[in-house]
Amino acid sequence: MLKLLLVPYQRFSQHTMATLSDMKEVFRRADAVCFDVDSTVIKEEGIDELAKFCGVGDAVTEMTRKAMGGSMSFKTALIERLSIIRCSREQVNKLLTDHPPQLTPGISELVDRLHQRGIKVYLISGGFRCIVEHVATQLNIPLHHVYANRLKFYFNGEYAGFDESQPTAEGGGKGKVISMLKEQNGFENVVMIGDGATDLEACPPANAFIGFGGNVIRPQVKEKSLWYVTSFRELLKELEHI
């Protein structure tokens, strides 16, 4: 009797001659899909918006560009940007009230479709948990599926730094989160979707990476992405093939 052995899809390297159809099959078979947040799930970079709100936008935006392009280590960029912003708890709360994050078109429908198919959805961000949780709530993503950096404040609400123990505070942190998710949940196929260098480097351990350029196109990421989309509706159409 002929027995068929079903094996999980692995992340394809250049040596295995991966094709676009391979990547699409991994996406359709995904156990979990992990999204970056800034410039992916939402239109803006949360830290840049916070900097503008605090009156130091130009200096911080340039550092964000370097960090996302890969020309500055993520942790260095995070430390330097926060040392300029030094936001208070009150300023963060007021930002969320006055200028809430704007969802990227199509993301709500995509997350809903993934949930309907029993695919777990996670938000893995180098941004701030207080902002990312706001986004997760809008998308009906459980807060325990959120991985992001935590700002720290003194009792009087003044800025006191950030929690450097979080994996997302380090370069390669998103990959560490995905490894942990696979180990804890037994996921065999995990897809990472994002716009930046820190998202691209999370594959592996992610089994596939989908570059997203719907809000900003980062040339280094586009060049290295086997599958690159500029609209979440492209991914919605792919799910219709299941």
Side-chain angles (χ1 to χ4, degrees):
M1 181 183 293
L2 179 64
K3 293 184 178 180
L4 296 178
L5 177 63
L6 298 179
V7 297
Y9 275 78
Q10 301 298 317
R11 193 258 187 178
F12 298 92
S13 68
Q14 292 179 338
H15 301 293
T16 58
M17 301 299 290
T19 65
L20 181 57
S21 61
D22 291 330
M23 293 293 99
K24 290 183 176 182
E25 184 69 10
V26 173
F27 177 59
R28 291 194 295 266
R29 289 172 172 257
D31 300 306
V33 175
C34 302
F35 289 91
D36 171 49
V37 177
D38 295 330
S39 294
T40 299
V41 169
I42 63 174
K43 294 180 180 180
E44 58 273 286
E45 288 285 332
I47 194 168
D48 291 351
E49 293 305 304
L50 183 58
K52 291 175 191 174
F53 195 75
C54 295
V56 290
D58 290 343
V60 170
T61 298
E62 177 61 17
M63 283 190 195
T64 297
R65 186 187 64 79
K66 290 181 179 179
M68 293 302 99
S71 61
M72 177 186 290
S73 78
F74 180 79
K75 189 168 188 178
T76 297
L78 182 61
I79 291 171
E80 292 190 11
R81 287 179 293 179
L82 284 173
S83 69
I84 294 171
I85 300 171
R86 301 193 64 82
C87 54
S88 66
R89 181 187 284 113
E90 182 181 359
Q91 285 174 313
V92 173
N93 291 339
K94 189 167 176 53
L95 172 68
L96 289 172
T97 300
D98 295 355
H99 303 283
Q102 300 297 304
L103 294 177
T104 300
I107 187 60
S108 295
E109 294 87 344
L110 178 57
V111 171
D112 285 347
R113 186 73 56 82
L114 291 170
H115 280 157
Q116 288 168 9
R117 296 186 179 277
I119 300 171
K120 305 295 184 184
V121 178
Y122 295 85
L123 299 181
I124 307 179
S125 174
F128 307 127
R129 188 174 184 92
C130 49
I131 296 175
V132 178
E133 284 186 345
H134 182 89
V135 175
T137 300
Q138 288 181 281
L139 295 173
N140 295 313
I141 295 173
L143 296 187
H144 67 276
H145 284 197
V146 170
Y147 294 87
N149 291 315
R150 295 178 184 272
L151 293 173
K152 297 193 293 189
F153 301 100
Y154 292 112
F155 287 114
N156 63 1
E158 291 182 359
Y159 175 70
F162 68 99
D163 184 356
E164 297 189 34
S165 70
Q166 296 295 312
T168 48
E170 298 275 359
K174 293 179 180 180
K176 292 176 185 176
V177 171
I178 290 174
S179 291
M180 180 192 70
L181 291 175
K182 293 178 85 170
E183 182 178 346
Q184 291 180 349
N185 299 282
F187 295 148
E188 294 180 339
N189 288 312
V190 177
V191 176
M192 181 72 204
I193 300 174
D195 68 288
T198 59
D199 309 310
L200 176 65
E201 71 180 9
C203 182
N207 302 83
F209 171 72
I210 303 172
F212 183 75
N215 292 307
V216 58
I217 293 176
R218 306 191 193 281
Q220 301 95 323
V221 176
K222 184 176 182 180
E223 290 168 11
K224 295 178 181 178
S225 299
L226 182 60
W227 189 6
Y228 195 84
V229 302
T230 55
S231 169
F232 286 126
R233 291 184 173 83
E234 295 176 59
L235 302 184
L236 276 166
K237 287 181 181 178
E238 198 58 42
L239 290 177
E240 293 174 359
H241 297 161
I242 297 176

